[in-house]
Amino acid sequence: MKNEIIENQGIRRAAQYLRMSTLNQEFSLDNQAQFIKEYASKHNYEVVHTYDDAGKSGVTVSGRHDFNRLMDDVILKRISIEAILVYDVSRFGRFEDPSEGFFYKYLFEKQGVKVIFCADNIPENVIESPFFLLMLMYAAGSYSKNLSQKVLAGHINLVNRGYYQGGPPGYGLERTLVDNNNQFKMKLRSGERKSLTTDRVVLSPGKKEEIKIVRKIFDMFVFRGLNEYLISVNLNREGYRYRDGSHWNRSRVHSVLINVRYTGKYIYNRSSTGNPPIFNGGDK
């Protein structure tokens, strides 16, 4: 039996909440809206408000602008509705703690607004319904957690094989795109990404002028004993400029001196506690 409100006479006002974290066509906003539209038509609802969070994770409500706006609008009585229609539990959220999902559902229903998961077969029995919903919320959260672990494991595997995973490479270095046979394809400019899943990214030496400046910085630090501030002063005095044409400063010199990638090492998955693993990037 479908999770639904017992139908009354007349059309009831509802809002729809749509969410997707990726470009997965199965859960596209259009597909969700179409399913909800058909559900609303069959159950005497009229969707009068739409809230959507495209490209937003369901693990937390932080950053989900429209979800938070919907809560505010309902609690502060800015809109008048009887129900919130959601495609399924996972679109409402993939919370690690299922009780968090129950809490947000409670906030809505405390205001007399029913939360309906249109595509989930939730029993109408008042005894069975909470337990069934709890299982669905737990499954949604577990899926997200397992997916995150698999993605992290995949990234670590690629790093161990010498491939670069995200973020600016640092001064004097460039990202190079290679195919699945490690054959050179092109240099990647700032903001550019690979387009084929079989392609990989490796770090390579950057422009000759930048390499020259990196060597000069280490020479002044190691052999002349200059601190970061004096190094930046000397670079600017000699006419050397940063890659965007601006002056060198202490912070930029510091970022060069602590960049372990110049040694052929690559730190991935750095955390604020403990010692992060250092992966050898090899000769790729």
Side-chain angles (χ1 to χ4, degrees), residues 104-129:
Y104 297 127
K105 183 174 181 289
Y106 169 80
L107 289 180
F108 288 123
E109 296 185 348
K110 186 70 173 177
Q111 305 301 319
V113 177
K114 186 76 172 178
V115 179
I116 302 176
F117 305 111
C118 303
D120 289 326
N121 290 321
I122 299 179
E124 291 181 347
N125 186 298
V126 292
I127 297 178
E128 296 179 1
S129 178

Side-chain angles (χ1 to χ4, degrees), residues 221 226-233 249-250 253-254 257-258:
F221 183 77
L226 300 183
N227 61 32
E228 295 163 343
Y229 171 73
L230 290 178
I231 291 174
S232 67
V233 170
N249 55 40
R250 179 191 174 281
V253 172
H254 179 75
L257 291 174
I258 66 171

Side-chain angles (χ1 to χ4, degrees), residues 99-164:
S99 62
E100 185 175 356
F102 270 97
F103 172 71
Y104 297 127
K105 183 174 181 289
Y106 169 80
L107 289 180
F108 288 123
E109 296 185 348
K110 186 70 173 177
Q111 305 301 319
V113 177
K114 186 76 172 178
V115 179
I116 302 176
F117 305 111
C118 303
D120 289 326
N121 290 321
I122 299 179
E124 291 181 347
N125 186 298
V126 292
I127 297 178
E128 296 179 1
S129 178
F131 296 102
F132 195 84
L133 182 57
L134 176 63
M135 289 189 294
L136 290 176
M137 287 189 171
Y138 178 80
S142 296
Y143 173 85
S144 180
K145 183 178 181 180
N146 292 337
L147 182 61
S148 297
Q149 292 173 341
K150 290 178 181 178
V151 170
L152 177 60
H155 285 179
I156 291 176
N157 176 56
L158 291 175
V159 170
N160 277 321
R161 293 166 58 191
Y163 298 118
Y164 188 66

